[in-house]
Amino acid sequence: MMPHLRGIGMTSQRTRDRMIARLKEQGITNPQILEIMRNTPRHIFVDEALASRAYENTALPIGYNQTISQPYIVARMTELLLELGPLQRVLEIGTGCGYQTAILAQLVDHVYSVERILPLQRKAISHLWELKIKNVSYLHNDGGCGWPDYAPFDGIIVAAAPQIIPQILLQQMAIGGVLIIPIGNDDRQKLHRVTRNTNEFSIEELEAVSFVPFLSGRE
C-alpha cells in the first residue's frame, strides 16, 4: 500500500484501531464490516486539512454543503443492509466523497452509485480508483430517479433524508430486497429499514440520525 494510504500520526493504523474499538462499543458486531473499515483509509476521502480528524466519530464537510457520514452511521447502515444475508446488486443514492461506496464495494458483488453533484462524483471515482476498487458503476443524476436501467436491486442505501420514502426507489427493489434510508426534516430524522415481500413492504423505524436533505436535480 502506498505510504499516504497507510497514514501516519492521527491517520495511522493505531488510530484506525481505536475507531474500530469505538464502533464495537457502540454495538457494531459484523466482523467483516469492522475489518474492512479498519483497513480502508478514511483520511483520503476528506480534505488534507481535515485528515487528522478522519477517524473521529463525527461527520465532516466535503464541500458543496455535503458531509462524509460519521463512521458509526456508515457501519450501522451497512450492517442493517447486510443483516439478512449477502447481497449482489446494491444501489447507493448519494456517492458523496465515495467512502460509503468503498465500504459497500468490498462487501457486495456490485455497487451502482448515483450522485447529483458532478465534482463530488469525480473526486469519489478518483479515490476508489486509487484503492483499486472497480466493481462500482457511477451515474450523475437526480437520486430520486434511482437507476432503472439496472433495477431491481437486492439492496438500496440512501445518504440523504427525504420527507417520505420515494416510491421510485420502492419500485426498484427486488423481492426480498432491503432499503436503508433516513426519513424526516432538519429537526427530526429517523433511520428506516424497508424490506420488500412479494406484494408488500415491511417498514421498521430505527434510530435518530442527522443527514443532509434529499434534493432533486443535478449540479
Side-chain angles (χ1 to χ4, degrees), residues 10-11 42-43 46 49-61:
M10 294 305 290
T11 62
R42 190 172 187 257
H43 62 276
V46 299
L50 294 171
S52 65
R53 300 187 60 199
Y55 299 97
E56 296 176 7
N57 193 35
T58 186
L60 296 169

Side-chain angles (χ1 to χ4, degrees), residues 104-123:
L104 282 174
Q106 296 174 77
L107 289 158
V108 306
D109 288 357
H110 201 93
V111 179
Y112 298 84
S113 192
V114 182
E115 174 56 55
R116 58 183 292 273
I117 302 171
L118 187 58
L120 274 183
Q121 184 192 57
R122 286 174 172 160
K123 286 172 80 171

Side-chain angles (χ1 to χ4, degrees), residues 51-219:
S52 65
R53 300 187 60 199
Y55 299 97
E56 296 176 7
N57 193 35
T58 186
L60 296 169
I62 55 172
Y64 307 94
N65 296 314
Q66 304 297 303
T67 59
I68 178 174
S69 293
Q70 65 195 89
Y72 167 74
I73 288 296
V74 172
R76 176 70 169 143
M77 291 178 73
T78 306
E79 194 168 64
L80 287 166
L81 187 75
L82 298 174
E83 203 165 53
L84 302 179
L87 303 178
Q88 293 183 304
R89 300 154 60 82
V90 171
L91 173 66
E92 179 189 35
I93 303 299
T95 314
C97 63
Y99 178 68
Q100 173 79 78
T101 321
I103 302 302
L104 282 174
Q106 296 174 77
L107 289 158
V108 306
D109 288 357
H110 201 93
V111 179
Y112 298 84
S113 192
V114 182
E115 174 56 55
R116 58 183 292 273
I117 302 171
L118 187 58
L120 274 183
Q121 184 192 57
R122 286 174 172 160
K123 286 172 80 171
I125 292 171
S126 174
H127 295 322
L128 271 77
W129 189 256
E130 187 174 21
L131 294 175
K132 297 181 169 54
I133 292 174
K134 298 178 181 176
N135 59 327
V136 181
S137 300
Y138 304 93
L139 177 66
H140 174 227
N141 202 16
D142 184 329
C145 300
W147 200 340
D149 291 354
Y150 292 102
F153 298 99
D154 305 308
I156 301 177
I157 194 165
V158 182
Q163 301 280 340
I164 59 172
I165 300 171
Q167 285 294 316
I168 289 177
L169 298 185
L170 295 176
Q171 292 165 12
Q172 292 181 25
M173 293 172 68
I175 304 299
V178 179
L179 164 66
I180 308 297
I181 184 169
I183 298 293
N185 53 34
D186 291 343
D187 300 323
R188 184 180 181 277
Q189 296 174 8
K190 283 287 186 73
L191 197 60
H192 289 67
R193 176 165 60 184
V194 182
T195 306
R196 182 168 192 177
N197 305 312
T198 306
N199 292 312
E200 59 184 13
F201 298 91
S202 168
I203 302 175
E204 301 167 75
E205 186 177 289
L206 303 165
E207 62 210 73
V209 289
S210 179
F211 278 83
V212 295
F214 193 103
L215 301 176
S216 58
R218 294 192 295 175
E219 293 184 23

